[in-house]
């Protein structure tokens, strides 16, 4: 203690108060703040000296407040106080109290005492700092504060209002009912439950989310955090405080992530990809379920690095695969790998892998990736590589299908010869270029003799073999510049250049006939057939090739009438064949009058269940002397004399009557299909005639016969087809694949069903090319939403393959032959009885 302090501390001017004995800092100052005395405690915190103003020892920021307090005292205030802070290293805080002592002394001495409030100041500052920190945190986090008391007092921060689009003066719901009107209807029940649990102090409901109506009319997602902080004497919530945060953006992001997660999971499930993550430093690898399935790893077995996977590698791939993986991991670059593994049954599996090596935040070398089993892909690729028609990509596949379809539209698949459509195109071309031809033209119309007997007795397989044999003979006996076509059934046409020498034509015809008369062996059976040929020619380059074809047709019939197995040239006398045609027409007209035209039924079956799906109604002539005649014997004549439509109508009416009788007996035939010619499609009375019949929707379909060029139909045909659709009569394309219909025709016609010709079905058990073509036709039909019926199903193998290829309906001798009404009824009864048992 300095001497002057000790002396002045006891100055009598202080009214007898000895400040030296006071534990807290104290001093005597005059009215101007000049220090007269101070104690030792004062010197510990302030650098004061007697005779100098006390304010000299204060911090600059405290001087003004101290002088103001001193001024109040001198103006008559009994006491004054001000907060000051110590100078120097000690940062203590004090309340400086100024007061005049109660004394008789009239001096203006003032007692200055300092009360240490350092701990209180520190607490207050810490509280202020915490309040500031929380306030900034809440504002920074965009959280709105709310405070609700059971007295009805409520507080909502500006952020709380801005979340809802409310301004300072906008009204707020005053009760729960009003507020619930703003909550999304789907959230209200859950919100009420959450609030109830939150009030009860359930920690699981401290936070909940809901949607509330924004002032602008849309909903915002709000995350509410709250808790009961005060309860009344009954334990009921008295004060609830919390925050609201706008999480709309986060919810949108979560929804997007959830959608992405679902899509990724679906993609992983569909692709059957296995996922792994390897920690090389820890020596373990985490594999998902699909990964373990691929590599046949038990689900309770750990996968160690350098152990299981390395042992599963195929011996021929192990060294190369490990070296490749090691190199890529060292470079920390993503890579793709293809390798083989050995399955537990000893088979080889092909694996494709995409991997990404990386170093994680802890410095661990890791790798994440996917594996998938591509064994079937590899096998398919190997098969596709063997097929020139199937190219490297799907586009090439579709192109090849289109090329095959276009080729099949112009060629007979069974014999590989051009078909009738190709012939028609060639005839049109010859007619257009008649002035450019240097030679005349000759037409050979060839019809096989006894072919029907071979087909009926030995089956379609034998018949097809004979047709192929006949096609080879034609190829071997014509020149490269000549043109040979199969125009349908057992008929062929050859176009040749003609130089005026009839003997050349006779020689070619006789050579063809001679070779076709030679016996042919098929499946141990000797087959003999012959050929009749009609020849027409012209040296006139401007001659109409179509007229020559008609003349050759007349000559062909003349050759058949002359005893078959011969050739005949067209002459004017050949016209007497027309008289024969008229005679046949007369007999046919008589047959119509005597009700000799009857339907035969060939049942059709579902390819999957073998249930009867319908029957094709085939026209037969019950001739009084020749027995049952097939349509090949009379349909051409019927067409020529204009009664084909009448025959079609008779078959339909009789079939409907037979079906009605069967239905009364409890025999169910779901559908019947009847043939209809191109000429009948042009009949303007077709619609009215059909409308008069009792045809139940979906029970009748029309099959288009002959070489119907569906891509060139006129308006009358298309109008009748539309009428058929309105009557719920389906359209089917018969003999598809033999040139009778085109892809463009299918698009124009939009049939319900197409029937693949039996020529395309015959060899599918042994011919991969034929299976591919049939599959292509089925795929085309599927893409156009058209059902497919296969004709010529003669074996169980046919049925099995067609089922696998996706065919819908089967028809053929292997399942049921064409039968009359009595035999068909017996067959339906047998199927019904078998189904009942």
């Amino acid at each position: 203690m300095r001497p002057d302090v000790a002396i002045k501390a006891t100055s009598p001017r202080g009214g007898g108060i000895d400040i030296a004995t006071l534990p807290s800092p104290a001093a005597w100052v005059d009215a101007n703040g000049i220090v007269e005395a101070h104690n030792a405690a004062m010197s510990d915190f302030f650098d004061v000296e007697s005779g100098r103003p006390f304010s000299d020892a204060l911090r600059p920021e405290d001087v003004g407040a101290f002088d103001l307090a001193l001024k109040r005292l001198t103006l008559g205030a009994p006491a004054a106080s001000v907060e000051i802070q110590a100078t120097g290293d000690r940062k203590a805080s004090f309340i400086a109290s100024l007061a005049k002592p109660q004394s008789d002394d009239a001096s203006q001495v003032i007692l200055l005492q300092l009360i240490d409030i350092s701990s209180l100041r520190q607490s207050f500052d810490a509280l202020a700092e915490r309040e500031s920190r929380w306030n900034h945190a809440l504002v920074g986090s965009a959280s709105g504060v709310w405070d609700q008391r059971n007295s009805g007092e409520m507080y909502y921060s500006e952020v709380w209002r801005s979340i809802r689009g409310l301004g300072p003066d906008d009204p707020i719901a005053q009760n729960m009912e009003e507020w619930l009107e703003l909550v999304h209807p789907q959230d209200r029940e859950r919100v009420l439950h959450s609030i109830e649990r939150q009030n009860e102090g359930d920690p699981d409901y401290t936070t909940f989310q809901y949607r509330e109506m924004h002032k602008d009319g849309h909903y915002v997602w709000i995350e509410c955090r709250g808790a009961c902080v005060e309860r009344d004497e009954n334990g009921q919530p008295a004060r609830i405080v919390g925050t609201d945060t706008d999480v709309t953006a986060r919810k949108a992001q979560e929804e997007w992530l959830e959608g992405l997660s679902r899509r990724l999971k679906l993609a992983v499930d569909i692709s059957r990809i296995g996922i792994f993550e390897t920690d090389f430093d820890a020596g373990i690898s985490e594999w998902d379920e699909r990964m373990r399935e691929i590599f046949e790893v038990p689900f309770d077995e750990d996968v160690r690095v350098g152990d299981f996977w390395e042992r599963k590698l195929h011996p021929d791939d192990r060294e190369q695969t490990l070296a490749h993986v090691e190199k890529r991991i060292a470079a920390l670059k993503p890579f793709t790998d293809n390798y083989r593994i050995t399955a537990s049954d000893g088979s080889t599996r092909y694996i494709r892998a995409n991997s990404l090596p990386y170093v994680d935040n802890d410095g661990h070398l890791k790798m994440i990736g996917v594996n998938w089993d591509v064994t079937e892909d590899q096998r398919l690729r190997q098969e596709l590589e063997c097929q020139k028609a199937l190219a490297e990509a799907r586009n090439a596949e579709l192109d090849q299908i289109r090329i095959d379809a276009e080729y099949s539209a112009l060629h007979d698949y069974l014999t590989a010869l051009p078909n009738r459509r190709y012939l028609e195109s060639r005839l049109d071309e010859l007619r257009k270029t008649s002035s450019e031809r240097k030679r005349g033209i000759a037409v050979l119309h060839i019809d096989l003799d006894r072919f029907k007997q071979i087909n009926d007795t030995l089956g379609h397989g034998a018949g097809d073999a004979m047709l192929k044999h006949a096609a080879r003979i034609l190829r071997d006996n014509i020149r490269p510049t000549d043109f040979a076509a199969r125009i349908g059934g057992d008929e062929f046409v050859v176009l040749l250049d003609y130089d005026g020498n009839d003997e050349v034509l006779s020689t070619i015809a006789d050579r063809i006939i001679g070779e076709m008369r030679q016996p042919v062996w098929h499946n141990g059976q000797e087959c003999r057939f012959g050929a009749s040929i009609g020849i027409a020619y012209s040296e006139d380059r401007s001659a109409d090739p179509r007229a020559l074809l008609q003349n050759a047709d007349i000559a062909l019939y003349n050759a058949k009438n002359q005893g078959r197995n011969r050739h005949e040239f067209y002459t004017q006398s050949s016209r007497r064949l027309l008289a024969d045609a008229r005679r046949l027409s007369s007999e046919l007209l008589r047959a119509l009058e005597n009700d000799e035209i009857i339907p035969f039924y060939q049942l059709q079956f579902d390819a999957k269940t073998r249930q009867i799906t319908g029957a094709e109604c085939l026209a037969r002539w019950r001739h009084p002397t020749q027995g049952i005649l097939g349509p090949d014997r009379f349909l051409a004549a019927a067409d020529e004399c204009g009664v084909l439509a009448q025959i079609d109508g008779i078959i339909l009416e009789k079939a409907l009557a037979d079906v009605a009788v069967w239905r009364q007996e409890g025999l169910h035939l779901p559908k019947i299909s009847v043939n209809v010619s191109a000429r009948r499609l042009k009949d303007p009375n077709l619609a009215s005639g059909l409308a008069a019949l009792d045809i139940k929707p979906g029970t009748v379909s029309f099959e288009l016969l002959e070489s119907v060029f569906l891509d060139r139909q006129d308006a009358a045909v298309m109008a009748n087809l539309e009428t058929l659709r309105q009557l719920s009569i389906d359209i089917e394309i018969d003999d598809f694949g033999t040139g009778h219909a085109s892809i463009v025709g299918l698009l124009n016609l939009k049939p319900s069903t197409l029937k693949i010709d039996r020529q395309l079905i015959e060899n599918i058990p042994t011919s991969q090319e034929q299976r591919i073509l049939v599959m292509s036709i089925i795929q085309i039909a599927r893409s156009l939403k058209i059902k497919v019926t296969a004709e010529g199903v003669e074996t169980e193998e046919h049925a099995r393959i067609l089922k696998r290829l996706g065919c819908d309906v089967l028809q053929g001798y292997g399942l049921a032959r064409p039968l009359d009404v009595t035999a068909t009824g017996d067959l339906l009864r047998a199927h019904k009885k078998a189904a009942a048992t």
Side-chain angles (χ1 to χ4, degrees):
M1 177 182 294
R2 297 199 308 267
D4 64 324
V5 173
I7 294 172
K8 294 182 178 179
T10 58
S11 173
R13 295 183 62 192
I17 300 175
D18 187 359
I19 62 175
T21 62
L22 297 177
S24 61
W28 292 105
V29 298
D30 63 12
N32 294 319
I34 303 299
V35 177
E36 293 186 358
H38 60 88
N39 63 7
M42 179 67 78
S43 297
D44 290 338
F45 295 97
F46 294 93
D47 185 16
V48 296
E49 293 181 10
S50 297
R52 291 181 56 193
F54 181 74
S55 60
D56 289 350
L58 297 178
R59 296 181 310 159
E61 54 266 36
D62 292 341
V63 171
F66 178 81
D67 290 344
L68 182 60
L70 186 65
K71 187 67 173 178
R72 289 198 197 98
L73 195 66
T74 59
L75 291 177
S81 62
V82 65
E83 182 178 346
I84 63 175
Q85 187 172 327
T87 58
D89 296 334
R90 303 182 67 177
K91 301 297 184 180
S93 295
F94 299 92
I95 292 295
S97 176
L98 297 168
K100 294 180 179 180
Q102 295 294 328
S103 170
D104 296 334
D105 188 357
S107 65
Q108 295 298 316
V109 67
I110 298 172
L111 176 62
L112 169 63
Q113 284 186 289
L114 303 184
I115 302 172
D116 191 343
I117 60 168
S118 298
S119 60
L120 182 62
R121 168 52 62 188
Q122 290 174 358
S123 298
F124 180 80
D125 289 345
L127 179 62
E129 179 66 22
R130 285 197 300 273
E131 181 179 358
S132 174
R133 184 180 300 114
W134 278 109
N135 184 61
H136 285 87
L138 289 172
V139 173
S141 63
S143 295
V145 179
W146 51 269
D147 186 349
Q148 299 176 348
R149 303 170 188 252
N150 60 1
S151 63
E153 182 181 355
M154 295 182 293
Y155 168 77
Y156 300 102
S157 69
E158 293 183 4
V159 175
W160 187 93
R161 289 175 171 272
S162 66
I163 290 174
R164 294 158 173 80
L166 301 175
D169 300 328
D170 287 327
I172 297 174
Q174 297 300 307
N175 52 57
M176 180 67 73
E177 289 73 16
E178 290 184 14
W179 176 70
L180 281 176
E181 289 297 322
L182 300 175
V183 176
H184 195 285
Q186 296 178 0
D187 297 343
R188 290 171 185 170
E189 184 176 350
R190 178 172 51 82
V191 166
L192 287 173
H193 178 71
S194 299
I195 292 174
E196 179 183 351
R197 299 308 307 156
Q198 193 178 79
N199 292 343
E200 292 295 327
D202 191 334
D204 293 336
Y205 288 87
T206 301
T207 301
F208 63 90
Q209 297 175 351
Y210 68 96
R211 286 164 289 183
E212 185 174 334
M213 180 70 73
H214 191 274
K215 180 181 178 181
D216 293 340
H218 62 275
Y219 283 99
V220 292
W221 275 99
I222 295 175
E223 183 175 78
C224 176
R225 295 177 181 271
C228 178
V229 296
E230 292 181 11
R231 295 184 180 275
D232 60 19
E233 62 276 8
N234 298 321
Q236 296 300 313
R239 183 182 182 188
I240 304 172
V241 179
T243 62
D244 284 358
T245 305
D246 186 346
V247 293
T248 304
R250 190 178 77 193
K251 294 293 288 188
Q253 181 70 9
E254 289 175 355
E255 183 177 353
W256 180 83
L257 289 174
E258 287 176 2
L260 177 61
S261 178
R262 288 193 296 270
R263 292 192 293 273
L264 289 176
K265 184 179 183 304
L266 179 61
V268 170
D269 291 343
I270 292 176
S271 63
R272 297 184 63 78
I273 289 176
I275 304 174
F276 72 90
E277 183 171 14
T278 299
D279 188 333
F280 293 102
D281 292 338
I284 59 173
S285 186
E286 295 291 337
W287 288 11
D288 71 352
E289 180 178 349
R290 177 57 184 160
M291 192 77 176
R292 291 176 177 269
E293 290 178 1
I294 293 174
F295 289 90
E296 303 173 305
V297 183
F299 290 96
D300 58 350
E301 181 177 326
D302 292 336
V303 180
R304 308 296 302 181
V305 176
D307 182 20
F308 182 81
W309 179 77
E310 289 76 3
R311 287 188 284 107
K312 290 289 287 186
L313 291 174
H314 192 281
D316 295 341
D317 294 353
R318 184 176 293 120
E319 182 178 353
Q320 179 181 353
T321 300
L322 291 176
H324 181 248
V325 171
E326 182 177 358
K327 179 181 178 181
R328 291 294 183 174
I329 292 175
L332 291 179
K333 291 183 178 180
F335 63 94
T336 299
D337 205 1
N338 293 279
Y339 57 88
R340 294 171 293 174
I341 63 172
T342 303
S344 58
D345 60 2
S347 63
T348 298
R349 310 296 294 176
Y350 290 83
I351 306 298
R352 180 170 297 157
N354 285 341
S355 305
L356 173 65
Y358 68 98
V359 177
D360 68 5
N361 294 332
D362 296 328
H364 286 205
L365 177 61
K366 293 184 176 181
M367 183 167 68
I368 190 171
V370 295
N371 281 209
W372 62 97
D373 189 333
V374 294
T375 304
E376 294 304 319
D377 292 343
Q378 182 69 17
R379 291 175 182 170
L380 179 60
R381 179 157 50 274
Q382 290 173 352
E383 290 182 8
L384 293 178
E385 288 174 355
C386 298
Q387 302 297 326
K388 183 179 179 180
L390 301 178
E392 298 176 349
R394 290 186 177 273
N395 288 338
E397 289 182 20
L398 295 176
D399 287 342
Q400 189 59 49
I401 291 174
R402 177 182 55 78
I403 292 171
D404 290 344
E406 291 177 354
Y407 180 87
S408 66
L410 295 175
H411 289 80
D412 171 51
Y413 185 82
L414 180 65
T415 63
L417 291 176
N419 58 18
R420 177 182 288 273
R421 188 171 187 178
Y422 199 166
L423 174 64
E424 296 279 353
S425 176
R426 188 63 176 268
L427 293 175
D428 290 339
E429 181 182 346
L430 288 173
R431 185 172 185 176
K432 293 176 181 178
T433 60
S434 60
S435 60
E436 302 174 6
R437 294 201 306 268
K438 296 181 180 179
R439 296 186 179 184
I441 184 173
V443 179
L444 276 62
H445 193 170
I446 304 164
D447 185 83
L448 303 185
D449 299 325
R450 299 188 71 253
F451 173 77
K452 185 177 184 300
Q453 288 83 344
I454 294 175
N455 217 26
D456 292 343
T457 57
L458 300 181
H460 294 307
D464 290 346
M466 298 308 104
L467 291 173
K468 292 179 180 179
H469 177 69
R472 284 193 295 270
I473 292 174
L474 290 181
R475 291 192 192 93
D476 294 341
N477 287 277
I478 62 175
R479 297 162 295 190
T481 56
D482 299 332
F483 179 87
R486 180 189 174 205
I487 62 173
D490 58 350
E491 293 186 63
F492 300 85
V493 168
V494 176
L495 305 179
L496 310 95
D497 287 335
Y498 178 63
D499 58 3
N501 189 341
D502 295 356
E503 293 298 325
V504 173
L505 300 179
S506 293
T507 300
I508 294 174
D510 288 339
R511 188 163 63 241
I512 292 173
I513 292 171
E515 293 191 25
M516 289 192 178
R517 294 183 63 180
Q518 299 301 315
V520 182
W521 289 89
H522 176 75
N523 292 339
Q525 296 285 337
E526 184 183 47
C527 302
R528 288 183 175 272
F529 66 95
S532 298
I533 301 178
I535 306 174
Y537 61 85
S538 174
E539 296 182 68
D540 185 359
R541 300 189 186 100
S542 62
D544 184 359
R546 291 183 180 275
L548 290 178
L549 181 60
Q550 294 175 358
N551 292 340
D553 185 46
I554 294 175
L556 171 62
Y557 280 105
N558 191 25
K560 285 184 171 292
N561 291 336
Q562 294 295 327
R564 302 177 184 270
N565 285 312
R566 58 184 292 126
H567 74 270
E568 290 290 333
F569 285 90
Y570 170 79
T571 62
Q572 289 296 328
S573 61
S574 299
R575 289 294 177 180
R576 62 175 174 269
L577 289 175
L578 296 176
D580 295 338
R582 294 193 185 97
R583 189 161 47 251
L584 178 61
S585 299
S586 298
E587 290 185 5
L588 186 58
L589 293 174
R590 176 190 54 78
L592 292 173
E593 293 174 355
N594 295 336
D595 197 25
E596 295 173 4
I597 305 300
I598 61 173
F600 267 46
Y601 302 91
Q602 186 172 26
L603 295 181
Q604 300 168 331
F605 301 85
D606 186 281
K608 295 180 179 178
T609 65
R610 297 295 178 87
Q611 296 295 317
I612 295 175
T613 62
E616 181 179 3
C617 304
L618 305 167
R620 296 292 187 265
W621 182 357
R622 188 191 290 116
H623 198 280
T625 60
Q626 301 181 42
I628 300 297
L629 301 181
D632 58 309
R633 297 285 299 276
F634 62 91
L635 285 187
D639 192 18
E640 292 176 2
C641 64
V643 296
L644 188 58
Q646 185 179 351
I647 292 176
D648 289 345
I650 290 173
I651 295 300
L652 177 59
E653 291 177 8
K654 289 188 174 183
L656 291 173
D658 291 341
V659 170
V661 172
W662 288 330
R663 188 180 299 113
Q664 292 177 356
E665 191 180 342
L667 302 177
H668 179 58
L669 187 61
K671 190 175 186 178
I672 58 172
S673 58
V674 295
N675 294 320
V676 60
S677 65
R679 180 171 295 181
R680 192 181 184 203
L681 286 177
K682 297 181 180 180
D683 184 2
N685 298 319
L686 175 62
S688 58
L690 292 175
L693 298 176
D694 183 19
I695 299 177
K696 298 184 180 303
T699 61
V700 175
S701 63
F702 277 10
E703 292 185 16
L704 304 187
L705 290 177
E706 304 178 357
S707 301
V708 181
F709 293 91
L710 298 174
D711 50 338
R712 292 187 288 177
Q713 285 294 351
D714 57 20
V717 171
M718 300 309 293
N720 272 335
L721 291 176
E722 182 59 31
T723 300
L724 295 180
R725 294 189 185 93
Q726 295 175 0
L727 295 174
S728 297
I729 297 177
D730 293 334
I731 302 299
E732 299 183 11
I733 302 299
D734 198 9
D735 297 337
F736 187 82
T738 61
H740 292 181
S742 69
I743 304 299
V744 174
L746 289 178
L747 293 174
N748 290 338
L749 182 61
K750 300 177 182 177
S752 63
T753 305
L754 62 82
K755 300 180 72 174
I756 303 178
D757 188 74
R758 61 181 179 82
Q759 299 175 26
L760 305 183
I761 304 300
E762 169 67 17
N763 294 324
I764 58 172
T766 57
S767 171
Q768 184 179 13
E769 292 182 352
Q770 198 157 345
R771 286 198 303 272
I772 291 174
L773 180 57
V774 172
M775 179 178 67
S776 301
I777 293 175
I778 293 175
Q779 289 176 346
I780 292 172
R782 284 284 179 274
S783 68
L784 299 176
K785 295 182 174 56
I786 299 174
K787 292 185 177 180
V788 179
T789 298
E791 296 182 303
V793 179
E794 296 187 3
T795 66
E796 186 63 26
E797 182 71 358
H798 282 135
R800 184 184 64 80
I801 294 174
L802 288 166
K803 174 184 175 182
R804 190 180 72 236
L805 294 179
C807 188
D808 300 299
V809 178
L810 307 178
Q811 178 181 343
Y813 278 26
L815 301 173
R817 290 175 173 270
L819 302 171
D820 62 15
V821 60
T822 301
T824 301
D826 293 339
L827 188 55
L828 291 174
R829 294 184 192 94
H831 272 269
K832 180 180 179 181
K833 183 177 180 181
T837 58

